[in-house]
Amino acid sequence: MLSKACRRGIVTMASAELPSSSSPALQFQVLAQQGRARTATMKLPHYTAETPMFMPVGTQGTVKGLTSEQMQELDCHVILGNTYHLGNRPGPELVAAMGGLHSFINWPRGMLTDSGGFQMVSLLHLADITEEGVTFQSPVDGSRMLLTPEESIGIQNDLGADIMMQLDDVVPATNTDLARFEEATHRTTRWLDRCIAANKRPHEQNLFPIVQGGFDVSLRQLSMQQLIARNAPGYAIGGLAGGETKDMFWRVVAQCAAGLPPGKPRYVMGIGYPLDILVCSALGADMYDSVYPTRTARFGVALVDTGVMKLKNAAFAKDMRPIDESCSCMTCRQYTRSYLHHVVTRGISSASILVTYHNVAYMQGLTRRIRQAIKEQRLPDFTRAFLTGMFPAGNVPQWVVDALDVAGISLEGVAKLKPAHSFYEEVQAVQRIPAV
Amino acid sequence: MDKLRPDAQMVQINAMQFIHLPSPDIIKSFGRSVHHYLGIPSWPVFASNRDPTMAEYFSAKSSNNTAVYATLYTGGTQVTPERYMQAIAALQPDMYVALADEVPGDARPKRVGQSVDRTIKWLDECLQHHQATQQQLLQQQQDEAAAPLPDPQLFAAVMGAGSEQERQRSAKAAAERDVAGFALCGFGMGEPAAARPALIAAALQHLPADKPRVVVGLATPEEVLEAVAQGIDLFDCSYPTHATAQGYALCFPLQPQQEQQQQQQQQECADADCGADDSKLNLWSLQYRTDKGPLVQGCSCFACRNHSRAYLHHLLHTHEMLASVLLELHNTHWWLGFFGAIQEAIQAGQLQQYIAWFKQRRQGLQQLPEGLIQAGAGKGQSWHKL
């Protein structure tokens, strides 16, 4: 274990070489790199976050049952608010009148709002996409709602989050029409320009573009080129977490993480499985969000290094151990699997809060360990140990083996399978964008 | 829970929840008392025979001479004194109520008599099991290292439903046994609130003054005050729980000095048909949509210090769990503050004045509107009067 002074010395020495960027409302500084992975600080108007970072989702202005104080206890740096839901209730004017979302919900740290666009994919049967924007049928009262880039940014300006997402034209991953992906790629860039023009608060709120292109290497390259030319403070990799195969998924992350400027944060949207976060971080991504940890908690499922623990299972009725003996969260310090089993099987909603608390603690703990491993230059060992714990019989999935191979991490002795991808050939035709 | 200190002093549980899943065996295999199992090791625990927010005794099947028929989460089941005491032995609460044959407030005389008889019989059986358990523990202790023995204090259940005679009979019999306290049972079970004082008085006549008395299931602050004046010591927190479930924030003034503040609040909703009165706010009401103020001005609870009415209103309308987390915190805090005020009044020798002041404030609200009475209101579970 390196001493603090020694570590600082190393960082100072290398800081001239470590990527960084400075935008009006965001300063990103990589502290350490290993392979494609990096750990960094990201200074936002409300908080300085550390990456790789997991952002819990507080869809309607609350992270399912947890108080703002608990979220801080749990070491959350940035949480998500959902523009679509908050735009309905309580509405942007009200939030603005309350002093912005931070003030309304009393969350002092970082906030990120999405554009409302993801609901396009998840509520597609209610939506109609044109060049103008997206027309929704509001599920609350059935009224027609048009979400344009201008409207989305207008709402997000009222909400006042540190990071806003552009309204993008998202195509469901299961769509096989390349022309549709091409249309969406170009439209996303046009919508980005409209979003940028509509942003009334460029010095207080960051606007992240979202890379599109589906699963086509050249479309993704094109999207990145176009978006990077707009010189944004950070970039998101979109169009994933929509039912695509993991094989397609990692390739897009690998290509985009490598193609986006190293001095700026890279946000893979909708990622919440611990395994996915580890792999994406190894590939060079920095930020993640998902409802998964908090949602699965409400089904009585706890997250642990070896996978999941389904607390409703009768096997836990008499198990007097905590969820995770190595976890120091309030739930693991005070409650047994037996107790949690009994309260979650009864469907007592407040019981799910205990599991939610642990799952958020787990995710924050995981990202802390990843950051620390990168700082201490032992990410490969950490990754191998983690995968051994998760796949004790060695049956690490092919996609993980392939992705980590590209990330420069060998799973020899840990995984039965060998790398079998042709990733480098696939992207060879596409020229690498020089680092900004 | 820690946020409710110092006002909160004890936690109430329902012993029936530990008859099956988790069973006494499971708690025993855990190896420590229920305090640790529930994650509240620093809180004294009172195990009552029923939960005032549930209705586990009202089922198609009835009890008999040997067992209560209780409807638990896992289904209906017979609970004998033996089975009940197995749970108590495993839980090791600080205090508990013996197994009782609960009947509704409008039970017929024969059934009420039966309930008194059975409960006395079961009290003796519980006492026997209690003593056997303590002896067992004593023996075990002699064999192992000495730690203070758990010594759950038994409260006898005093029954009698709506009959003053039966209340007296039950109390006399309970007072003859060597018990630590008395639980006056069968309140909050559909009896009219006005009948309660006489029934409580009938029982208290025969209970020793130097042992604690608990009543579970009273609904409103006024009912609590009446019972306090009569000599009851321990009460439950079902009132704040019900208020929370319906989206109310309690705000009745606890001291005359606070009254002015509340008068302001009353004026706020005097015109609006917002379902509130001067004792509680209905946070569902649209009038709170943009209200940046705390739930109750001057309240020091976590919810009021950190959040606004507007936020609570939003959380309720979006059906978010955090609404009940915050409201329960506030309402329990407020309820416990009420008891603090009662204790102060008693210590200052001012209880009667306090009660008089409290009641005259709410005079107008005591009576249900005539139309509702005719429609049958006031005859059901007393918490409807919330």
Side-chain angles (χ1 to χ4, degrees):
Chain A
M1 191 69 156
L2 298 169
S3 75
K4 215 177 181 182
C6 186
R7 236 185 289 140
R8 225 184 289 136
I10 286 176
V11 170
T12 314
M13 245 171 43
S15 67
E17 309 158 18
L18 289 169
S20 68
S21 69
S22 189
S23 310
L26 189 156
Q27 288 85 50
F28 190 76
Q29 173 69 61
V30 174
L31 301 174
Q33 291 175 150
Q34 188 174 21
R36 291 183 175 221
R38 72 270 191 81
T39 176
T41 56
M42 179 166 65
K43 184 159 189 266
L44 298 165
H46 286 88
Y47 198 68
T48 300
E50 292 167 34
T51 65
M53 159 175 74
F54 177 75
M55 303 179 284
V57 181
T59 305
Q60 303 193 100
T62 155
V63 179
K64 292 291 181 262
L66 297 179
T67 64
S68 170
E69 188 186 71
Q70 286 172 319
M71 295 298 291
Q72 291 174 67
E73 268 166 21
L74 290 165
D75 192 33
C76 296
H77 298 186
V78 179
I79 64 174
L80 241 82
N82 189 292
T83 296
Y84 174 70
H85 293 283
L86 293 167
N88 273 321
R89 300 181 293 196
E93 303 84 2
L94 187 144
V95 175
M98 291 291 130
L101 197 53
H102 282 88
S103 192
F104 182 55
I105 73 177
N106 195 14
W107 171 250
R109 296 186 178 179
M111 187 96 69
L112 187 150
T113 46
D114 72 339
S115 64
F118 183 64
Q119 273 64 39
M120 266 193 267
V121 174
S122 53
L123 300 170
L124 199 56
H125 64 288
L126 296 174
D128 183 30
I129 304 166
T130 63
E131 186 63 25
E132 201 191 350
V134 186
T135 318
F136 288 99
Q137 191 176 39
S138 166
V140 177
D141 61 2
S143 61
R144 284 195 96 62
M145 214 180 115
L146 172 65
L147 191 65
T148 59
E150 291 78 13
E151 179 80 13
S152 172
I153 296 303
I155 296 171
Q156 293 188 72
N157 276 150
D158 280 340
L159 297 176
D162 301 75
I163 300 173
M164 308 185 288
M165 302 310 296
Q166 71 154 119
L167 184 66
D168 56 337
D169 184 6
V170 184
V171 181
T174 44
N175 191 314
T176 50
D177 179 8
L178 189 65
R180 177 69 188 101
F181 280 104
E182 193 169 352
E183 178 192 44
T185 304
H186 291 287
R187 179 174 290 145
T188 292
T189 306
R190 290 194 294 276
W191 282 4
L192 173 63
D193 288 338
R194 285 168 63 184
C195 286
I196 292 171
N199 185 4
K200 296 191 292 274
R201 306 173 62 189
H203 294 276
E204 299 148 56
Q205 293 182 269
N206 295 287
L207 174 54
F208 277 25
I210 306 177
V211 178
Q212 303 300 323
F215 304 95
D216 184 84
V217 175
S218 39
L219 270 183
R220 283 278 176 182
Q221 191 65 18
L222 183 68
S223 185
M224 281 195 282
Q225 257 173 350
Q226 292 178 349
L227 302 184
I228 288 166
R230 273 76 180 164
N231 195 25
Y235 301 88
I237 302 167
L240 300 172
E244 71 280 354
T245 64
K246 280 296 199 272
D247 203 45
M248 292 156 70
F249 159 77
W250 77 260
R251 283 172 156 78
V252 172
V253 176
Q255 181 196 356
C256 293
L260 288 168
K264 294 184 173 176
R266 305 149 174 172
Y267 167 26
V268 189
M269 305 184 76
I271 300 304
Y273 293 140
L275 181 58
D276 296 0
I277 286 178
L278 181 55
V279 171
C280 290
S281 300
L283 289 172
D286 310 297
M287 298 161 63
Y288 315 97
D289 81 282
S290 176
V291 294
Y292 171 68
T294 43
R295 180 173 291 168
T296 207
R298 296 197 296 286
F299 292 106
V301 179
L303 299 177
V304 290
D305 276 353
T306 48
V308 297
M309 187 172 288
K310 297 182 181 170
L311 291 164
K312 287 190 179 178
N313 195 306
F316 294 110
K318 303 182 185 179
D319 192 334
M320 298 304 169
R321 295 171 288 177
I323 291 173
D324 184 348
E325 255 137 2
S326 64
C327 179
S328 59
C329 85
M330 175 262 297
T331 299
C332 292
R333 278 187 289 109
Q334 285 176 225
Y335 301 95
T336 58
R337 298 173 190 184
S338 166
Y339 171 77
L340 293 167
H341 165 83
H342 287 109
V343 291
V344 300
T345 47
R346 292 172 188 223
I348 303 168
S349 62
S350 55
S352 71
I353 293 174
L354 292 175
V355 186
T356 304
Y357 192 93
H358 165 79
N359 283 3
V360 175
Y362 177 80
M363 296 306 290
Q364 300 312 313
L366 175 66
T367 47
R368 263 199 309 276
R369 285 185 286 160
I370 293 173
R371 294 196 292 267
Q372 199 62 23
I374 298 169
K375 275 181 199 152
E376 294 172 8
Q377 301 294 291
R378 51 176 179 82
L379 185 66
D381 282 340
F382 174 81
T383 305
R384 282 188 282 268
F386 189 87
L387 290 173
T388 304
M390 197 175 258
F391 303 101
N395 38 8
V396 180
Q398 186 71 55
W399 76 268
V400 176
V401 175
D402 291 344
L404 289 173
D405 180 62
V406 169
I409 295 176
S410 159
L411 296 181
E412 187 82 38
V414 169
K416 286 185 189 155
L417 298 169
K418 301 275 174 269
H421 65 88
S422 53
F423 178 73
Y424 297 109
E425 292 83 346
E426 288 154 24
V427 297
Q428 202 174 27
V430 177
Q431 263 197 331
R432 262 204 68 147
I433 297 170
V436 168
Chain B
M1 279 293 302
D2 282 334
K3 296 202 188 305
L4 292 168
R5 291 190 198 270
D7 293 334
Q9 299 170 72
M10 187 152 53
V11 175
Q12 179 186 18
I13 64 172
N14 178 4
M16 288 297 185
Q17 296 290 349
F18 298 88
I19 296 290
H20 186 234
L21 292 185
S23 64
D25 283 338
I26 289 177
I27 308 295
K28 273 224 176 96
S29 75
F30 174 60
R32 305 180 82 180
S33 70
V34 70
H35 310 71
H36 297 271
Y37 189 72
L38 297 182
I40 48 169
S42 61
W43 294 88
V45 169
F46 184 100
S48 48
N49 63 309
R50 83 174 181 99
D51 181 337
T53 63
M54 289 176 58
E56 69 264 46
Y57 291 100
F58 299 142
S59 64
K61 296 196 186 166
S62 61
S63 311
N64 56 41
N65 284 333
T66 50
V68 155
Y69 190 84
T71 311
L72 310 178
Y73 169 71
T74 48
T77 187
Q78 302 259 333
V79 183
T80 59
E82 179 179 9
R83 212 173 166 204
Y84 188 80
M85 291 307 291
Q86 274 169 359
I88 297 295
L91 295 173
Q92 297 173 7
D94 298 83
M95 292 163 237
Y96 70 99
V97 180
L99 185 67
D101 183 20
E102 296 272 12
V103 296
D106 59 352
R108 319 272 271 294
K110 188 174 168 204
R111 182 70 185 92
V112 177
Q114 216 176 35
S115 141
V116 173
D117 293 333
R118 283 180 189 162
T119 303
I120 295 169
K121 176 164 163 272
W122 294 345
L123 170 59
D124 288 336
E125 284 179 55
C126 286
L127 277 164
Q128 277 174 354
H129 287 289
H130 179 107
Q131 264 128 36
T133 305
Q134 292 306 106
Q135 271 175 0
Q136 217 177 24
L137 287 172
L138 202 62
Q139 267 190 326
Q140 275 176 343
Q141 196 188 45
Q142 283 171 350
D143 303 338
E144 289 152 30
L149 267 187
D151 190 16
Q153 301 294 294
L154 188 154
F155 278 52
V158 175
M159 316 310 293
S163 159
E164 286 180 43
Q165 247 188 334
E166 288 300 291
R167 284 277 171 193
Q168 291 195 35
R169 184 165 80 89
S170 182
K172 268 191 218 155
E176 283 166 17
R177 273 75 178 167
D178 181 24
V179 298
F182 303 91
L184 279 64
C185 294
F187 293 113
M189 284 213 171
E191 76 285 358
R196 238 179 260 139
L199 297 169
I200 292 179
L204 290 180
Q205 252 188 329
H206 303 281
L207 297 181
D210 63 345
K211 289 184 180 177
R213 305 87 169 257
V214 60
V215 172
V216 152
L218 297 183
T220 65
E222 286 77 11
E223 292 168 29
V224 166
L225 282 172
E226 256 167 23
V228 167
Q230 288 187 286
I232 304 298
D233 308 295
L234 298 172
F235 301 83
D236 65 275
C237 284
S238 55
Y239 183 75
T241 300
H242 288 307
T244 301
Q246 299 181 40
Y248 285 108
L250 298 178
C251 65
F252 54 86
L254 306 180
Q255 305 284 6
Q257 301 92 298
Q258 287 176 327
E259 207 171 351
Q260 257 188 338
Q261 248 175 10
Q262 306 309 319
Q263 268 169 7
Q264 255 186 329
Q265 228 145 248
Q266 194 176 8
Q267 270 164 2
E268 279 171 23
C269 50
D271 307 316
D273 182 22
C274 61
D277 56 41
D278 64 337
S279 76
K280 51 193 178 286
L281 311 173
N282 175 10
L283 286 157
W284 282 92
S285 168
L286 292 174
Q287 73 174 90
Y288 298 115
R289 244 188 120 240
T290 55
D291 194 330
K292 290 187 189 175
L295 294 177
V296 179
Q297 201 66 244
C299 177
S300 60
C301 85
F302 178 86
C304 289
R305 278 185 292 110
N306 289 289
H307 295 291
S308 62
R309 292 172 174 183
Y311 186 51
L312 256 308
H313 172 86
H314 165 73
L315 291 174
L316 281 169
H317 279 267
T318 50
H319 306 284
E320 284 288 343
M321 247 189 284
L322 189 60
S324 29
V325 170
L326 295 174
L327 275 178
E328 184 102 30
L329 256 170
H330 168 79
N331 287 338
T332 309
H333 172 94
W334 199 263
W335 188 241
L336 295 173
F338 175 53
F339 283 88
I342 294 175
Q343 285 166 30
E344 274 173 26
I346 295 173
Q347 277 160 10
Q350 302 264 313
L351 182 66
Q352 289 309 322
Q353 293 93 315
Y354 186 84
I355 294 176
W357 163 74
F358 199 95
K359 279 191 165 168
Q360 64 81 29
R361 269 193 61 255
R362 300 251 283 155
Q363 204 62 51
L365 301 160
Q366 289 271 352
Q367 298 304 314
L368 288 172
E370 192 55 43
L372 281 180
I373 292 176
Q374 278 174 359
K379 289 189 187 156
Q381 290 220 356
S382 48
W383 55 260
H384 278 168
K385 280 207 280 172
L386 194 74

